[in-house]
Amino acid sequence: MNITRAYDEMFMAYANLLAQKGWAKTGTNPLVGAVIVKDDEIVGEGFHRKIGEAHAEICALAQAGERARESTLYVNLEPCTTYGHTPPCVNAIIRAGVNRVVIGAIDPNPEVNGRGIKYLTDAGIEVVQDILKHWTDNLNRWYYKFIKENLPYVILKIAASEDMRLSGYPQKYITSLQSRRYVHSLRSQIGAVMIGINTLLVDNPYLTDRLVGRHNPTRIVIDPHLKIPLNTHFLIPDAHRIIITDKNNPSEKIKKLSERGVEFILLDGTDYPPQKILNALAQSGIGAVMIEGGALVFNQFLKSELYDEILLFVAPVTVNKGLELKLENTLIKNIVPEKIGGDKLYHVYRNN
């Protein structure tokens, strides 16, 4: 059979769609989907569901069973060669008798990074690379950042008025329901959301994905003086909760919060520059975080340029008061905004 690129892309697209099912659940691991095809029929499929659980290729091979022999495996990211939470996938692929492997992108993990392909080719398996690579790269941009720099991927989600005010609104929400649903969808995809203590005290946000109802992210608050009230929505036990605070704060309150399932990142002192926060998050296994307020936190991350993306929702109102976002106009000057409800969404990638 003469296999065309379009044929390979069709099954790789499905592998990427499967990979997306792992959004927010794989921790610092990549989003990976796998499809096994034999005689034009899908005989096995799978995706990486959760860090520590079986990889996508293993799930697909288990479903295919003996039908995996002399088949084609489509996997959006290069199969691993290392022993981590699970054994290397390349060994299982070789044992199953797969004779062709189509890969979306090479895994940039220094312990893999081409070794998976070499293992397979040395075993006589045909390997095809870079099929829908752009899709895989975009899907795993959070993982790529973490594996290369050992730092979380940072998205700043900002809602502002046309005069760049972050507060002073006559109502709780300045943006449209459509914009808020967009944000809730993103919360369900990313591993964690983070706010400063002032935002928690003023807004008492839930920080859930309730408008889409898929998967609540880990909630993180930067609270140097441990001001968090014990009746705040942040503490509802429907998600993983983390407080970043001074290790010398009263042990009694830390104990009370710990008994409610809250985890702590205990730091020295009460001054937490963005780099210090990101280092602490990385050590706690947070691979990506969306920052949702407030003004102080936004402006610190903007000034230090320790962000990867900005999602700026601009509502069609002017308030002439309130806290101001210190955003350089050059960041959005040449960006054509997307219309969401009545709002404008400016999507900025720092490295573009």
Side-chain angles (χ1 to χ4, degrees):
M1 176 182 175
N2 183 24
I3 297 176
T4 66
R5 187 176 183 88
Y7 183 90
D8 282 342
E9 287 180 348
M10 175 177 63
F11 290 110
M12 186 61 73
Y14 185 45
N16 273 309
L17 290 173
L18 287 171
Q20 290 175 187
K21 292 185 176 184
W23 264 330
K25 301 170 188 174
T26 62
T28 55
N29 279 2
L31 295 167
V32 183
V35 180
I36 297 174
V37 177
K38 186 171 184 178
D39 298 328
D40 297 334
E41 178 188 354
I42 294 176
V43 296
E45 61 182 64
F47 65 96
H48 184 36
R49 296 173 181 273
K50 187 178 179 182
I51 190 167
E53 294 189 3
H55 289 189
E57 301 95 316
I58 304 304
C59 294
L61 288 169
Q63 188 180 101
E66 284 299 316
R67 293 176 296 176
R69 189 162 301 279
E70 297 186 358
S71 67
T72 295
L73 167 67
Y74 293 86
V75 59
N76 65 323
L77 196 68
E78 178 184 13
C80 68
T81 57
T82 59
Y83 283 89
H85 295 285
T86 58
C89 290
V90 290
N91 294 350
I93 295 168
I94 293 168
R95 283 198 307 270
V98 172
N99 62 6
R100 184 171 182 265
V101 176
V102 181
I103 296 170
I106 292 176
D107 187 343
N109 183 340
E111 295 184 358
V112 184
N113 198 19
R115 289 183 179 86
I117 292 170
K118 187 174 188 306
Y119 267 85
L120 296 173
T121 55
D122 286 352
I125 296 173
E126 178 189 355
V127 176
V128 178
Q129 299 179 49
D130 297 341
I131 299 298
L132 299 185
K133 180 179 184 298
H134 60 285
W135 188 343
T136 297
D137 288 345
N138 184 59
L139 190 61
N140 280 298
R141 64 192 187 280
W142 306 340
Y143 165 71
Y144 288 4
K145 163 83 177 291
F146 189 86
I147 205 68
K148 291 176 182 177
E149 302 180 31
N150 196 29
L151 287 173
Y153 192 95
V154 177
I155 299 174
L156 302 182
K157 191 283 296 182
I158 306 171
S161 60
E162 287 185 335
D163 53 344
M164 291 296 120
R165 300 292 176 170
L166 301 172
S167 64
Y169 316 139
Q171 68 281 342
K172 181 174 181 180
Y173 299 111
I174 190 173
T175 54
S176 65
L177 176 61
Q178 293 94 327
S179 291
R180 299 199 301 277
R181 187 174 286 115
Y182 182 106
V183 171
H184 284 217
S185 180
L186 190 53
R187 284 178 185 169
S188 75
Q189 298 170 23
I190 199 161
V193 295
M194 183 169 70
I195 57 172
I197 185 59
N198 290 338
T199 297
L200 185 148
L201 294 174
V202 172
D203 296 338
N204 193 19
Y206 287 92
L207 300 175
T208 65
D209 76 334
R210 60 194 179 279
L211 293 180
V212 296
R214 295 175 191 149
H215 180 82
N216 286 334
T218 293
R219 296 194 285 271
I220 304 167
V221 62
I222 306 166
D223 186 7
H225 301 285
L226 204 57
K227 294 179 180 179
I228 186 169
L230 296 179
N231 62 348
T232 180
H233 295 147
F234 180 93
L235 297 176
I236 295 172
D238 58 356
H240 190 193
R241 293 145 292 150
I242 299 174
I243 298 175
I244 301 175
T245 194
D246 181 4
K247 68 179 183 181
N248 293 315
N249 275 319
S251 58
E252 184 178 341
K253 189 169 184 180
I254 291 176
K255 183 173 182 291
K256 280 184 180 179
L257 290 163
S258 297
E259 288 171 349
R260 294 175 64 172
V262 177
E263 295 185 18
F264 285 85
I265 294 177
L266 299 174
L267 301 178
D268 290 317
T270 58
D271 181 25
Y272 308 148
Q275 186 69 58
K276 187 173 185 178
I277 291 170
L278 295 182
N279 289 340
L281 292 179
Q283 290 172 13
S284 297
I286 303 295
V289 62
M290 184 161 68
I291 298 174
E292 299 202 32
L296 176 63
V297 179
F298 285 146
N299 289 330
Q300 284 180 332
F301 274 81
L302 286 168
K303 183 178 180 180
S304 64
E305 295 189 342
L306 287 174
Y307 63 87
D308 298 282
E309 294 180 38
I310 300 172
L311 293 171
L312 174 62
F313 294 85
V314 178
V317 296
T318 302
V319 294
N320 296 314
K321 60 179 180 179
L323 298 170
E324 185 177 4
L325 178 68
K326 295 177 181 177
L327 181 75
E328 292 183 20
N329 186 54
T330 53
L331 284 175
I332 62 172
K333 183 179 179 182
N334 297 318
I335 294 177
V336 177
E338 179 182 350
K339 288 285 288 182
I340 299 184
D343 309 318
K344 295 177 181 177
L345 170 58
Y346 294 88
H347 198 164
V348 179
Y349 291 89
R350 185 173 62 85
N351 291 323
N352 279 8

